[in-house]
Amino acid sequence: MPQSCVAYNCYIRHRKGGNLKFHTFPKTGLLRDKWIAALGRADFVPSTYSRICSKHFHENDYEINAHGKKVLKKDAIPSKFCFVNSIARSSDANV
């Protein structure tokens, strides 16, 4: 199954050899709830296959592990989103 980002207005799909990383949601707990809330999608429940691409994380959300690889910090929360179109659509509906 091809991976694609579940963030609103993000159409990025995984490409072999690409620079982007696709992160799985935390399994349980407060951090998972924060990730879901950050998406801003009503009634969204992530599945086993739901991913968020690295474009939604800041550079300081990553660290270099013992093997020299760039990995997401354990407490990182996605925070870079583009909600402009959703605001425009909801205001158009109210006219």
Side-chain angles (χ1 to χ4, degrees):
M1 170 180 266
Q3 293 178 351
S4 58
C5 183
V6 297
Y8 177 80
N9 217 19
C10 185
Y11 302 101
I12 301 205
R13 295 179 66 139
H14 179 266
R15 286 186 357 194
K16 190 172 185 169
N19 295 348
L20 295 176
K21 296 179 182 286
F22 284 78
H23 303 288
T24 58
F25 280 73
K27 299 263 187 249
T28 59
L30 183 60
L31 188 59
R32 178 184 175 88
D33 295 340
K34 288 181 179 182
W35 278 41
I36 293 168
L39 284 175
R41 292 179 57 187
D43 303 320
F44 177 75
V45 178
S47 75
T48 305
Y49 305 104
S50 297
R51 303 286 187 270
I52 298 180
C53 74
S54 55
K55 285 197 171 228
H56 303 291
F57 293 90
H58 291 276
E59 191 61 35
N60 62 356
D61 289 328
Y62 291 91
E63 62 189 3
I64 304 299
N65 69 9
H67 303 289
K69 293 194 177 201
K70 184 176 166 182
V71 295
L72 194 61
K73 290 180 181 177
K74 294 188 185 306
D75 61 347
I77 299 169
S79 58
K80 293 172 58 179
F81 297 100
C82 179
F83 295 116
V84 175
N85 288 343
S86 65
I87 294 169
R89 284 186 198 145
S90 64
S91 64
D92 288 345
N94 294 330
V95 175

Coordinates of all heavy atoms in Angstrom, one line a residue:
M1 N 0.8 -1.2 0.0 CA 0.0 0.0 0.0 C 0.9 1.2 0.0 O 1.8 1.4 0.9 CB -0.9 0.0 1.2 CG -1.6 1.3 1.5 SD -2.7 1.2 2.9 CE -4.2 0.7 2.2
P2 N 0.7 2.2 -1.0 CA 1.5 3.4 -1.0 C 1.2 4.3 0.2 O 0.0 4.4 0.6 CB 1.1 4.1 -2.3 CG 0.1 3.2 -2.9 CD -0.2 2.1 -2.1
Q3 N 2.2 4.9 0.7 CA 2.0 5.8 1.9 C 1.8 7.2 1.4 O 2.4 7.7 0.5 CB 3.3 5.8 2.8 CG 3.5 4.5 3.5 CD 4.8 4.6 4.3 OE1 5.6 5.5 4.2 NE2 5.0 3.6 5.1
S4 N 0.8 7.9 2.0 CA 0.5 9.3 1.7 C 0.2 10.0 3.1 O -0.1 9.3 4.0 CB -0.6 9.4 0.8 OG -1.8 8.8 1.3
C5 N 0.5 11.2 3.1 CA 0.3 12.0 4.3 C -1.2 12.3 4.6 O -2.0 12.6 3.6 CB 1.0 13.3 4.2 SG 1.0 14.4 5.6
V6 N -1.6 12.2 5.8 CA -3.0 12.4 6.2 C -3.4 13.8 6.6 O -4.5 14.1 6.9 CB -3.5 11.4 7.3 CG1 -3.3 10.0 6.9 CG2 -2.7 11.7 8.6
A7 N -2.4 14.7 6.6 CA -2.6 16.1 6.9 C -3.5 16.7 5.9 O -3.4 16.5 4.7 CB -1.3 16.8 7.1
Y8 N -4.4 17.6 6.4 CA -5.3 18.4 5.5 C -4.5 19.2 4.5 O -3.5 19.8 4.8 CB -6.2 19.3 6.3 CG -7.1 20.1 5.4 CD1 -8.2 19.5 4.9 CD2 -6.8 21.4 5.0 CE1 -9.0 20.3 4.0 CE2 -7.6 22.1 4.2 CZ -8.7 21.6 3.7 OH -9.5 22.3 2.8
N9 N -4.9 19.1 3.3 CA -4.3 19.9 2.2 C -2.8 19.5 1.9 O -2.1 20.2 1.3 CB -4.3 21.4 2.5 CG -4.5 22.3 1.3 OD1 -5.0 21.8 0.3 ND2 -4.2 23.5 1.4
C10 N -2.4 18.3 2.3 CA -1.1 17.8 1.9 C -1.3 16.6 1.0 O -2.0 15.6 1.3 CB -0.4 17.3 3.2 SG 1.3 16.8 2.9
Y11 N -0.7 16.6 -0.1 CA -0.9 15.6 -1.1 C 0.4 14.8 -1.4 O 0.6 14.2 -2.4 CB -1.4 16.2 -2.4 CG -2.7 17.0 -2.2 CD1 -2.7 18.4 -2.1 CD2 -3.9 16.3 -2.1 CE1 -3.8 19.1 -1.9 CE2 -5.0 17.0 -1.8 CZ -5.0 18.4 -1.7 OH -6.2 19.1 -1.5
I12 N 1.3 14.8 -0.4 CA 2.6 14.2 -0.6 C 2.4 12.6 -0.4 O 1.8 12.2 0.5 CB 3.6 14.7 0.4 CG1 3.7 16.2 0.2 CG2 4.9 14.0 0.4 CD1 4.9 16.9 0.6
R13 N 3.0 11.9 -1.3 CA 3.1 10.5 -1.3 C 4.5 10.0 -1.2 O 5.4 10.7 -1.6 CB 2.4 9.9 -2.5 CG 0.9 10.2 -2.6 CD 0.4 9.6 -3.8 NE 0.4 8.2 -3.7 CZ -0.5 7.3 -4.1 NH1 -1.6 7.8 -4.6 NH2 -0.4 6.1 -4.0
H14 N 4.7 8.9 -0.6 CA 6.1 8.3 -0.4 C 6.6 8.0 -1.8 O 5.9 7.4 -2.6 CB 6.0 7.1 0.5 CG 7.4 6.5 0.6 ND1 7.8 5.5 -0.2 CD2 8.4 6.8 1.5 CE1 9.0 5.1 0.2 NE2 9.4 5.9 1.2
R15 N 7.9 8.4 -2.0 CA 8.6 8.0 -3.3 C 9.8 7.3 -2.9 O 10.6 7.8 -2.0 CB 8.9 9.2 -4.1 CG 7.7 9.8 -4.8 CD 8.1 10.9 -5.7 NE 9.6 11.2 -5.7 CZ 10.1 12.3 -6.2 NH1 9.4 13.2 -6.8 NH2 11.4 12.5 -6.1
K16 N 10.1 6.2 -3.5 CA 11.3 5.5 -3.2 C 12.5 6.4 -3.5 O 12.6 7.0 -4.5 CB 11.4 4.2 -4.0 CG 12.5 3.3 -3.6 CD 12.4 1.9 -4.3 CE 13.5 1.0 -3.8 NZ 13.3 -0.3 -4.2
G17 N 13.4 6.5 -2.5 CA 14.6 7.3 -2.7 C 14.4 8.8 -2.4 O 15.3 9.6 -2.5
G18 N 13.1 9.1 -2.0 CA 12.8 10.5 -1.7 C 13.4 11.0 -0.4 O 13.9 10.2 0.5
N19 N 13.4 12.3 -0.1 CA 14.0 12.9 1.1 C 13.1 12.9 2.3 O 13.5 13.1 3.4 CB 14.5 14.3 0.8 CG 15.6 14.3 -0.2 OD1 16.2 13.3 -0.6 ND2 15.9 15.5 -0.7
L20 N 11.8 12.8 2.0 CA 10.8 12.9 3.1 C 10.7 11.6 3.9 O 10.8 10.5 3.3 CB 9.5 13.3 2.6 CG 9.4 14.7 1.9 CD1 8.0 14.9 1.3 CD2 9.7 15.8 2.9
K21 N 10.4 11.8 5.2 CA 10.1 10.7 6.0 C 8.6 10.6 6.3 O 7.9 11.7 6.3 CB 10.8 10.8 7.4 CG 12.3 10.7 7.2 CD 13.0 10.9 8.6 CE 14.5 10.9 8.5 NZ 15.1 9.6 8.2
F22 N 8.0 9.5 6.5 CA 6.6 9.3 6.9 C 6.5 8.7 8.2 O 7.0 7.6 8.5 CB 5.9 8.5 5.8 CG 5.6 9.3 4.6 CD1 6.6 9.5 3.6 CD2 4.4 9.8 4.3 CE1 6.4 10.2 2.5 CE2 4.2 10.5 3.2 CZ 5.2 10.7 2.3
H23 N 5.9 9.4 9.2 CA 5.9 9.0 10.6 C 4.6 8.4 10.9 O 3.5 8.9 10.6 CB 6.2 10.2 11.5 CG 7.5 10.8 11.2 ND1 8.7 10.3 11.5 CD2 7.8 12.0 10.6 CE1 9.7 11.1 11.1 NE2 9.2 12.1 10.5
T24 N 4.6 7.3 11.7 CA 3.4 6.7 12.2 C 3.0 7.4 13.4 O 3.8 8.0 14.1 CB 3.6 5.2 12.5 OG1 4.7 5.1 13.5 CG2 4.0 4.4 11.3
F25 N 1.7 7.3 13.7 CA 1.1 7.9 14.9 C 1.6 7.1 16.1 O 1.7 5.9 16.1 CB -0.4 7.9 14.9 CG -1.0 9.0 14.0 CD1 -0.9 8.9 12.6 CD2 -1.6 10.1 14.6 CE1 -1.4 10.0 11.9 CE2 -2.1 11.1 13.8 CZ -2.0 11.0 12.5
P26 N 1.8 7.8 17.3 CA 2.1 7.1 18.5 C 0.9 6.1 18.8 O -0.2 6.4 18.4 CB 2.1 8.2 19.6 CG 2.5 9.4 18.8 CD 1.8 9.3 17.5
K27 N 1.2 5.0 19.3 CA 0.2 3.9 19.5 C -0.9 4.3 20.5 O -2.1 4.1 20.2 CB 0.9 2.7 20.1 CG 1.9 2.1 19.1 CD 1.3 1.0 18.3 CE 2.4 0.3 17.5 NZ 2.3 0.6 16.1
T28 N -0.6 5.0 21.6 CA -1.6 5.3 22.6 C -1.1 6.6 23.4 O 0.0 7.0 23.2 CB -1.8 4.2 23.7 OG1 -0.5 3.9 24.3 CG2 -2.3 2.9 23.0
G29 N -2.0 7.1 24.2 CA -1.6 8.1 25.2 C -1.8 9.5 24.7 O -2.4 9.8 23.7
L30 N -1.3 10.4 25.6 CA -1.4 11.9 25.4 C -0.8 12.3 24.1 O -1.3 13.2 23.4 CB -0.9 12.6 26.6 CG -1.0 14.1 26.6 CD1 -2.5 14.5 26.6 CD2 -0.4 14.7 27.9
L31 N 0.4 11.8 23.8 CA 1.1 12.2 22.6 C 0.3 11.9 21.3 O 0.2 12.7 20.4 CB 2.5 11.6 22.5 CG 3.4 12.1 21.4 CD1 3.6 13.6 21.5 CD2 4.7 11.3 21.4
R32 N -0.3 10.8 21.3 CA -1.2 10.4 20.2 C -2.4 11.4 20.1 O -2.7 11.9 19.0 CB -1.8 9.0 20.3 CG -2.7 8.5 19.3 CD -3.3 7.1 19.6 NE -4.2 6.7 18.6 CZ -4.0 6.1 17.5 NH1 -2.8 5.8 17.1 NH2 -5.0 5.7 16.7
D33 N -3.0 11.7 21.2 CA -4.1 12.7 21.2 C -3.6 14.1 20.7 O -4.3 14.7 20.0 CB -4.6 12.8 22.6 CG -5.3 11.6 23.1 OD1 -5.7 10.7 22.3 OD2 -5.5 11.4 24.3
K34 N -2.4 14.5 21.1 CA -1.9 15.8 20.6 C -1.6 15.7 19.1 O -1.9 16.7 18.4 CB -0.6 16.1 21.3 CG -0.8 16.5 22.8 CD 0.5 16.8 23.5 CE 0.3 17.3 24.9 NZ 1.5 17.6 25.6
W35 N -1.2 14.6 18.6 CA -1.0 14.5 17.1 C -2.3 14.7 16.4 O -2.4 15.4 15.4 CB -0.3 13.2 16.7 CG 1.2 13.1 16.9 CD1 1.9 13.7 17.9 CD2 2.1 12.5 16.0 NE1 3.3 13.4 17.7 CE2 3.4 12.6 16.5 CE3 1.9 11.8 14.8 CZ2 4.5 12.1 15.9 CZ3 3.0 11.2 14.2 CH2 4.3 11.4 14.7
I36 N -3.3 14.0 16.9 CA -4.6 14.0 16.3 C -5.2 15.4 16.3 O -5.7 15.9 15.3 CB -5.6 13.0 16.9 CG1 -5.1 11.5 16.6 CG2 -7.0 13.1 16.5 CD1 -5.8 10.5 17.5
A37 N -5.1 16.0 17.5 CA -5.6 17.4 17.6 C -4.9 18.4 16.7 O -5.5 19.3 16.1 CB -5.5 17.9 19.1
A38 N -3.6 18.2 16.5 CA -2.8 19.1 15.7 C -3.3 19.0 14.2 O -3.2 20.0 13.5 CB -1.3 18.7 15.8
L39 N -3.8 17.9 13.8 CA -4.2 17.8 12.4 C -5.4 18.7 12.1 O -5.6 19.1 11.0 CB -4.7 16.3 12.1 CG -3.5 15.3 11.9 CD1 -4.1 13.9 11.7 CD2 -2.7 15.7 10.7
G40 N -6.3 18.9 13.1 CA -7.4 19.8 12.9 C -8.5 19.2 12.0 O -9.3 19.9 11.4
R41 N -8.5 17.9 12.0 CA -9.6 17.2 11.2 C -10.6 16.6 12.1 O -10.3 15.8 13.0 CB -8.9 16.0 10.4 CG -8.0 16.5 9.3 CD -7.3 15.4 8.6 NE -8.3 14.5 8.0 CZ -8.1 13.4 7.4 NH1 -6.8 13.0 7.3 NH2 -9.0 12.6 6.8
A42 N -11.9 17.0 11.9 CA -13.0 16.6 12.8 C -13.1 15.1 12.7 O -13.1 14.5 11.6 CB -14.2 17.3 12.4
D43 N -13.3 14.5 13.8 CA -13.6 13.1 14.0 C -12.5 12.1 13.3 O -12.9 11.0 12.9 CB -15.0 12.7 13.4 CG -16.1 13.5 14.1 OD1 -16.0 13.7 15.3 OD2 -17.0 14.0 13.4
F44 N -11.3 12.6 13.2 CA -10.3 11.8 12.5 C -9.8 10.8 13.5 O -9.4 11.1 14.7 CB -9.1 12.6 12.1 CG -8.0 11.8 11.5 CD1 -8.1 11.3 10.2 CD2 -6.8 11.6 12.2 CE1 -7.0 10.5 9.7 CE2 -5.8 10.9 11.7 CZ -5.9 10.3 10.4
V45 N -9.7 9.5 13.1 CA -9.2 8.4 13.9 C -8.1 7.7 13.0 O -8.4 7.1 12.0 CB -10.2 7.4 14.3 CG1 -9.6 6.2 15.1 CG2 -11.3 8.1 15.1
P46 N -6.8 7.8 13.4 CA -5.8 7.3 12.5 C -5.8 5.7 12.5 O -6.1 5.1 13.6 CB -4.5 7.8 13.2 CG -4.8 8.2 14.6 CD -6.3 8.5 14.6
S47 N -5.6 5.2 11.4 CA -5.5 3.7 11.3 C -4.1 3.3 11.4 O -3.2 4.1 11.6 CB -6.0 3.3 9.9 OG -5.1 3.6 8.9
T48 N -3.8 2.0 11.3 CA -2.5 1.5 11.4 C -1.6 2.0 10.2 O -0.4 2.2 10.3 CB -2.5 -0.1 11.2 OG1 -3.4 -0.6 12.2 CG2 -1.2 -0.7 11.3
Y49 N -2.3 2.4 9.1 CA -1.6 2.9 7.9 C -1.4 4.4 7.8 O -0.8 4.9 6.9 CB -2.3 2.4 6.7 CG -2.4 0.9 6.7 CD1 -3.7 0.3 7.0 CD2 -1.3 0.0 6.5 CE1 -3.8 -1.1 7.1 CE2 -1.5 -1.3 6.5 CZ -2.7 -1.9 6.8 OH -2.8 -3.3 6.9
S50 N -2.0 5.1 8.8 CA -2.0 6.6 8.7 C -0.6 7.1 9.0 O 0.1 6.6 9.9 CB -2.9 7.2 9.8 OG -4.3 6.9 9.5
R51 N -0.1 8.1 8.2 CA 1.2 8.6 8.3 C 1.1 10.2 8.2 O 0.3 10.7 7.5 CB 2.1 8.1 7.2 CG 2.3 6.6 7.1 CD 3.1 6.1 8.2 NE 3.4 4.7 8.0 CZ 2.7 3.7 8.5 NH1 1.6 4.0 9.2 NH2 3.0 2.4 8.4
I52 N 2.1 10.8 8.8 CA 2.3 12.2 8.7 C 3.7 12.4 8.1 O 4.7 11.9 8.7 CB 2.1 13.0 10.0 CG1 0.7 12.8 10.5 CG2 2.4 14.5 9.8 CD1 0.4 13.5 11.8
C53 N 3.8 13.2 7.0 CA 5.1 13.4 6.4 C 6.0 14.4 7.2 O 5.4 15.2 8.0 CB 5.0 13.8 5.0 SG 4.5 15.5 4.7
S54 N 7.3 14.4 7.0 CA 8.2 15.2 7.7 C 8.0 16.7 7.4 O 8.6 17.5 8.2 CB 9.6 14.8 7.4 OG 9.9 14.8 6.0
K55 N 7.3 17.1 6.4 CA 7.0 18.5 6.1 C 6.2 19.2 7.3 O 6.2 20.4 7.3 CB 6.3 18.7 4.8 CG 7.2 18.5 3.6 CD 6.6 19.1 2.4 CE 7.6 19.1 1.3 NZ 7.7 20.3 0.6
H56 N 5.6 18.4 8.1 CA 4.8 18.9 9.2 C 5.5 19.0 10.5 O 4.9 19.3 11.5 CB 3.5 18.1 9.3 CG 2.7 18.1 8.0 ND1 2.1 19.2 7.4 CD2 2.6 17.1 7.1 CE1 1.6 18.9 6.3 NE2 1.9 17.6 6.0
F57 N 6.8 18.8 10.5 CA 7.6 18.9 11.7 C 8.7 19.9 11.4 O 9.2 20.1 10.3 CB 8.2 17.5 12.0 CG 7.2 16.5 12.4 CD1 6.6 15.7 11.5 CD2 6.9 16.3 13.8 CE1 5.7 14.7 11.9 CE2 6.0 15.4 14.2 CZ 5.4 14.6 13.2
H58 N 9.1 20.6 12.5 CA 10.2 21.5 12.4 C 11.5 20.8 12.5 O 11.6 19.7 13.0 CB 10.1 22.6 13.6 CG 8.9 23.5 13.4 ND1 9.0 24.6 12.6 CD2 7.7 23.4 13.9 CE1 7.8 25.2 12.7 NE2 7.0 24.5 13.5
E59 N 12.6 21.4 12.0 CA 13.9 20.8 12.1 C 14.3 20.5 13.5 O 15.0 19.4 13.7 CB 14.9 21.8 11.4 CG 16.3 21.2 11.2 CD 16.2 20.0 10.2 OE1 15.4 20.0 9.2 OE2 17.0 19.1 10.4
N60 N 14.0 21.3 14.5 CA 14.4 21.0 15.9 C 13.5 19.9 16.5 O 13.7 19.5 17.7 CB 14.4 22.2 16.7 CG 13.0 22.9 16.8 OD1 12.0 22.4 16.2 ND2 12.9 23.9 17.6
D61 N 12.6 19.3 15.8 CA 11.8 18.1 16.2 C 12.6 16.8 16.0 O 12.2 15.7 16.3 CB 10.5 18.0 15.5 CG 9.5 19.1 15.9 OD1 9.5 19.5 17.1 OD2 8.6 19.5 15.1
Y62 N 13.8 16.9 15.3 CA 14.6 15.8 15.0 C 15.9 15.8 15.8 O 16.3 16.9 16.2 CB 14.9 15.8 13.5 CG 13.7 15.5 12.7 CD1 12.9 16.5 12.2 CD2 13.3 14.2 12.3 CE1 11.8 16.3 11.4 CE2 12.2 13.9 11.6 CZ 11.5 15.0 11.1 OH 10.4 14.7 10.3
E63 N 16.5 14.6 16.0 CA 17.8 14.5 16.6 C 18.5 13.4 15.8 O 18.0 12.6 15.0 CB 17.6 14.1 18.0 CG 17.0 12.8 18.3 CD 16.6 12.6 19.8 OE1 16.9 13.5 20.6 OE2 16.1 11.5 20.1
I64 N 19.8 13.4 16.0 CA 20.7 12.3 15.4 C 20.8 11.2 16.4 O 21.3 11.5 17.6 CB 22.1 12.9 15.0 CG1 21.9 14.1 14.1 CG2 22.9 11.8 14.4 CD1 21.2 13.8 12.8
N65 N 20.5 10.0 16.0 CA 20.6 8.9 17.0 C 22.1 8.3 17.0 O 23.0 8.8 16.4 CB 19.6 7.8 16.7 CG 19.9 7.0 15.4 OD1 20.9 7.2 14.8 ND2 18.9 6.2 15.0
A66 N 22.2 7.3 17.8 CA 23.6 6.7 18.0 C 24.2 6.1 16.7 O 25.4 6.0 16.6 CB 23.5 5.6 19.1
H67 N 23.3 5.8 15.7 CA 23.8 5.3 14.5 C 24.0 6.4 13.4 O 24.2 6.1 12.2 CB 22.8 4.3 13.9 CG 22.6 3.1 14.9 ND1 23.5 2.2 15.2 CD2 21.5 2.9 15.7 CE1 23.0 1.3 16.1 NE2 21.8 1.7 16.4
G68 N 23.9 7.6 13.8 CA 24.1 8.8 12.9 C 22.9 9.1 12.0 O 23.0 9.8 11.1
K69 N 21.7 8.5 12.3 CA 20.5 8.8 11.5 C 19.6 9.8 12.2 O 19.5 9.9 13.4 CB 19.7 7.5 11.4 CG 20.4 6.4 10.5 CD 19.5 5.3 10.1 CE 20.3 4.4 9.3 NZ 19.4 3.6 8.4
K70 N 19.0 10.6 11.3 CA 18.1 11.7 11.8 C 16.8 11.0 12.1 O 16.1 10.4 11.3 CB 17.9 12.7 10.6 CG 17.1 13.8 11.0 CD 17.1 14.8 9.8 CE 16.0 15.8 9.9 NZ 16.0 16.7 8.7
V71 N 16.3 11.1 13.4 CA 15.1 10.5 13.8 C 14.2 11.6 14.6 O 14.7 12.5 15.1 CB 15.3 9.3 14.8 CG1 16.0 8.2 14.0 CG2 16.1 9.7 16.0
L72 N 12.9 11.3 14.6 CA 12.0 12.2 15.3 C 12.2 12.0 16.8 O 12.3 10.9 17.3 CB 10.6 11.8 14.8 CG 9.5 12.8 15.1 CD1 9.7 14.1 14.4 CD2 8.1 12.2 14.7
K73 N 12.2 13.2 17.5 CA 12.3 13.1 18.9 C 11.0 12.5 19.5 O 9.9 12.6 18.9 CB 12.4 14.5 19.5 CG 13.7 15.1 19.2 CD 13.8 16.5 19.8 CE 15.1 17.2 19.5 NZ 15.2 18.6 20.0
K74 N 11.1 11.8 20.6 CA 10.0 11.1 21.2 C 8.8 12.0 21.6 O 7.7 11.5 21.6 CB 10.4 10.3 22.4 CG 11.4 9.2 22.1 CD 11.7 8.3 23.3 CE 12.7 7.3 23.0 NZ 12.5 6.4 21.9
D75 N 9.1 13.3 21.9 CA 8.0 14.2 22.3 C 7.6 15.2 21.2 O 6.8 16.1 21.5 CB 8.4 15.0 23.6 CG 9.6 15.8 23.3 OD1 10.3 15.7 22.3 OD2 9.9 16.7 24.2
A76 N 8.0 14.9 20.0 CA 7.7 15.8 18.9 C 6.2 15.8 18.5 O 5.6 14.7 18.5 CB 8.5 15.5 17.7
I77 N 5.7 16.9 18.1 CA 4.3 17.0 17.7 C 4.2 17.8 16.4 O 4.9 18.8 16.3 CB 3.4 17.8 18.8 CG1 3.4 17.1 20.1 CG2 2.0 18.0 18.3 CD1 2.9 17.9 21.2
P78 N 3.5 17.3 15.4 CA 3.5 18.0 14.1 C 2.8 19.3 14.3 O 1.8 19.4 15.0 CB 2.6 17.0 13.2 CG 1.8 16.2 14.2 CD 2.7 16.1 15.4
S79 N 3.4 20.4 13.7 CA 2.9 21.7 13.9 C 2.9 22.6 12.7 O 2.5 23.8 12.8 CB 3.6 22.4 15.1 OG 5.0 22.4 14.8
K80 N 3.3 22.1 11.6 CA 3.4 22.9 10.4 C 2.3 22.5 9.4 O 2.4 21.5 8.7 CB 4.8 22.8 9.7 CG 5.9 23.4 10.5 CD 7.3 23.0 9.9 CE 7.5 23.5 8.5 NZ 8.8 23.2 8.0
F81 N 1.2 23.2 9.4 CA 0.1 22.9 8.5 C -0.4 24.1 7.8 O -0.2 25.2 8.2 CB -1.1 22.3 9.4 CG -0.7 21.1 10.1 CD1 -0.4 21.1 11.5 CD2 -0.8 19.9 9.5 CE1 -0.1 20.0 12.2 CE2 -0.5 18.7 10.2 CZ -0.1 18.8 11.5
C82 N -1.1 23.8 6.7 CA -1.7 24.9 5.9 C -3.3 24.7 5.9 O -3.8 23.8 5.2 CB -1.2 24.8 4.4 SG -2.0 26.1 3.4
F83 N -3.9 25.5 6.7 CA -5.4 25.4 6.8 C -6.1 26.5 6.1 O -7.3 26.7 6.2 CB -5.8 25.5 8.3 CG -5.3 24.3 9.1 CD1 -4.4 24.6 10.2 CD2 -5.7 23.1 8.9 CE1 -3.9 23.5 10.9 CE2 -5.2 22.0 9.6 CZ -4.3 22.2 10.7
V84 N -5.4 27.3 5.3 CA -6.0 28.5 4.6 C -7.2 28.1 3.8 O -8.2 28.7 3.8 CB -4.9 29.1 3.7 CG1 -5.5 30.3 2.9 CG2 -3.8 29.7 4.5
N85 N -7.1 27.0 3.0 CA -8.3 26.6 2.1 C -9.5 26.2 2.9 O -10.6 26.5 2.5 CB -7.9 25.5 1.2 CG -6.9 26.0 0.1 OD1 -6.8 27.2 -0.2 ND2 -6.3 25.1 -0.6
S86 N -9.3 25.6 4.1 CA -10.4 25.2 4.9 C -11.1 26.4 5.5 O -12.3 26.4 5.6 CB -10.0 24.2 6.0 OG -9.1 24.9 6.9
I87 N -10.4 27.4 5.8 CA -11.0 28.6 6.4 C -11.8 29.3 5.2 O -12.9 29.8 5.5 CB -9.9 29.6 6.9 CG1 -9.3 28.9 8.2 CG2 -10.5 30.9 7.3 CD1 -8.0 29.6 8.7
A88 N -11.2 29.4 4.1 CA -11.9 30.0 2.9 C -13.2 29.3 2.6 O -14.2 29.9 2.4 CB -11.0 30.1 1.7
R89 N -13.1 28.0 2.6 CA -14.3 27.2 2.3 C -15.4 27.4 3.3 O -16.6 27.5 3.0 CB -13.9 25.7 2.2 CG -13.2 25.3 0.9 CD -13.0 23.8 0.8 NE -12.0 23.6 -0.1 CZ -11.2 22.6 -0.1 NH1 -11.2 21.8 1.0 NH2 -10.3 22.4 -1.0
S90 N -15.0 27.4 4.6 CA -16.1 27.5 5.6 C -16.7 28.9 5.6 O -17.9 29.0 5.8 CB -15.5 27.2 7.0 OG -14.5 28.1 7.4
S91 N -15.9 29.9 5.3 CA -16.5 31.3 5.2 C -17.4 31.4 4.0 O -18.4 32.1 4.0 CB -15.4 32.3 5.2 OG -14.6 32.2 4.1
D92 N -17.0 30.7 2.9 CA -17.9 30.8 1.7 C -19.2 30.1 1.9 O -20.2 30.6 1.4 CB -17.2 30.0 0.5 CG -16.0 30.8 0.0 OD1 -15.8 32.0 0.3 OD2 -15.2 30.2 -0.8
A93 N -19.2 29.1 2.7 CA -20.4 28.4 3.0 C -21.4 29.2 3.9 O -22.6 29.0 3.8 CB -20.1 27.0 3.8
N94 N -20.9 30.1 4.6 CA -21.7 31.0 5.5 C -22.3 32.2 4.8 O -23.1 32.9 5.4 CB -20.9 31.5 6.7 CG -20.5 30.3 7.6 OD1 -21.2 29.3 7.7 ND2 -19.4 30.5 8.3
V95 N -22.0 32.4 3.5 CA -22.5 33.5 2.8 C -23.8 33.3 2.2 O -24.3 32.3 1.9 CB -21.5 33.9 1.6 CG1 -22.0 35.0 0.8 CG2 -20.1 34.3 2.2

